[in-house]
Amino acid sequence: MKPFTALLGAAAGTHAADQLALATLPLTATLVLGAGPGVLGLLVAAQSAAWLLVSLPAGAWVDRLPRRRLLIAALGFGLLASVVAVIAAATGAASLLGVAAFVGASGTVIYVLTSVSLLPSLVPATDLPRANARLELARAIVSLAAPLVAGLLAQHLSPTWGYGLAALGAALALACVLALPRVPAPATGTARPSFLAAIRAGARFVIRHELLRGISFCAIFWNFAFFALLAIWAPLALGPLGLDPARMGLAQSAYGAGLILGALVAPITSRHLPPLATLIFGPAVSVVAAGLFLVAPAHGGTAAGFALAAAGYFLVGFGPMLWLICQTTVRQLVTPFSLMGRVNATVQTAIYGVRPLGALAGGLLAAEAGLQSALVLIAVAFALSTLVIVLSPLARLRAMPVLAGA
């Protein structure tokens, strides 16, 4: 098996496990444990907290340890998390379910950081947009299927069956990773800096680089909004929208459809459009999606309410997928190879580390002031993510940067 093919197969299995766990968590909490919006926000926050707490040390590990070994460890975390989640659901322990969510997400953090840092050594720089699009397409396909499968399992069997399928995805990914060749740890020179100094070097590079700084701030606001939406989605769908679990999963699966179309279109837009067009379009179309979610409850219990919610999820998949592939390529091109793991970790912390705050804010605001107030917060955060891009040098990027060190 070719190295990129093995990496692609591992990506499909890993993201299948991650997306199934993400879709199964709110269903298990709501239907099995009887959790309300406040508890649900805490559980989603636990699942996303790993991106804040694990990313920076994981980035330093990526630049120090053999990457195949890190991928194996990451998938081991995913398998363990699925087992613990089933035990938590069987015993009614919401706190244990939160622990399982954190452990599983930690494995995903390590996997994503390692694979993104490994990719530039597997393909030429000119092929990076296409390679990134193929990896994201694998994630998009499972993002489309996971909510639908989780919803059907919840309605006809039990929500916890989703965790069983997540374990299978992690196992398949592990088989692909084992097919990767053994690669020595990245060279760090004779004077290896301390662990904390290495982390600071990556963070310093991101803060001082105007393109990476703009990407990070845009992503902070966008991910805050998106995870606030995820935290309130189950009570919104099962309440004001009047959806059953199966239709709830079907509406959310439109997000995966948007991701798929975005991943398919990305190689074309990278050839024919300047990067600035893609980087502005991604967050801007999310503002339109927020408007659809705001008006959907007025049509609760009707086909129009379902269609508005599904269209909103499609848009927050399509535009941001184009943005993600474009900014990932920019990040890989401007970062020296010796800093790749730590820079990716710093940006990843900005992109995903804010998710617990978004989930907490969305869940708590919905519990205290109502779901409509939480939807307004989501719309404002999406608008701020767009404003960051418009005001940054990314809005003037007419061509991809030259590969660092070329």
Side-chain angles (χ1 to χ4, degrees):
M1 184 183 298
K2 294 182 179 180
F4 179 76
T5 303
L7 192 65
L8 184 61
T14 301
H15 291 305
D18 180 59
Q19 291 298 313
L20 280 167
L22 188 64
T24 300
L25 177 64
L27 289 170
T28 300
T30 303
L31 300 178
V32 178
L33 304 182
V39 174
L40 187 57
L42 289 171
L43 289 173
V44 175
Q47 188 172 37
S48 53
W51 299 91
L52 177 63
L53 300 177
V54 178
S55 289
L56 290 177
W61 295 333
V62 169
D63 287 339
R64 289 170 179 251
L65 301 176
R67 289 170 178 172
R68 182 174 179 271
R69 185 190 306 170
L70 283 174
L71 292 174
I72 293 172
L75 296 170
F77 280 129
L79 288 169
L80 176 63
S82 297
V83 174
V84 174
V86 173
I87 295 173
T91 58
S95 59
L96 187 60
L97 187 61
V99 171
F102 179 82
V103 171
S106 296
T108 304
V109 170
I110 297 171
Y111 172 83
V112 170
L113 265 180
T114 307
S115 62
V116 170
S117 301
L118 184 62
L119 182 61
S121 65
L122 299 180
V123 300
T126 53
D127 288 343
L128 278 175
R130 179 172 175 268
N132 282 316
R134 291 179 66 186
L135 291 173
E136 290 299 333
L137 179 60
R139 181 174 72 91
I141 291 173
V142 299
S143 296
L144 173 65
L148 178 59
V149 171
L152 290 173
L153 290 173
Q155 183 165 345
H156 297 292
L157 295 171
S158 168
T160 56
W161 279 77
Y163 287 115
L165 286 182
L168 178 60
L172 292 175
L174 182 59
C176 291
V177 167
L178 292 174
L180 286 171
R182 297 181 183 272
V183 180
T188 57
T190 56
R192 172 181 287 188
S194 69
F195 198 73
L196 290 179
I199 291 175
R200 284 196 299 268
R204 191 181 305 115
F205 186 86
V206 173
I207 293 171
R208 293 178 177 177
H209 199 291
E210 57 183 10
L211 298 182
L212 297 180
R213 190 168 60 244
I215 287 170
S216 300
F217 279 111
C218 172
I220 285 173
F221 288 114
W222 193 92
N223 278 269
F224 180 94
F226 184 66
F227 263 69
L229 174 63
L230 290 183
I232 68 168
W233 171 239
L236 176 67
L238 300 175
L241 293 182
L243 305 179
D244 57 33
R247 288 197 300 159
M248 169 188 162
L250 182 61
Q252 192 175 2
S253 68
Y255 170 70
L259 293 177
I260 289 174
L261 184 60
L264 291 172
V265 169
I268 300 173
T269 59
S270 68
R271 291 195 302 269
H272 299 288
L273 293 177
L276 66 90
T278 301
L279 293 170
I280 294 173
F281 176 78
V285 78
S286 302
V287 180
V288 178
L292 297 180
F293 284 114
L294 273 168
V295 302
H299 303 274
T302 68
F306 169 83
L308 287 168
Y313 266 116
F314 176 83
L315 291 178
V316 296
F318 175 68
M321 171 58 86
L322 293 174
W323 181 89
L324 175 62
I325 292 170
C326 185
Q327 68 88 5
T328 300
T329 303
V330 170
R331 188 176 3 138
Q332 291 166 331
L333 289 173
V334 302
T335 304
F337 187 74
S338 61
L339 281 171
M340 192 71 71
R342 286 164 286 166
V343 166
N344 286 331
T346 302
V347 177
Q348 186 164 286
T349 300
I351 291 177
Y352 296 104
V354 75
R355 287 179 169 187
L357 301 179
L360 284 171
L364 294 176
L365 186 59
E368 295 296 328
L371 291 167
Q372 200 70 7
S373 297
L375 289 171
V376 171
L377 174 68
I378 291 165
V380 170
F382 278 143
L384 289 174
S385 72
T386 307
L387 183 62
V388 166
I389 291 291
V390 172
L391 297 179
S392 78
L394 293 164
R396 301 186 296 274
L397 192 63
R398 299 188 176 276
M400 280 292 180
V402 177
L403 179 66

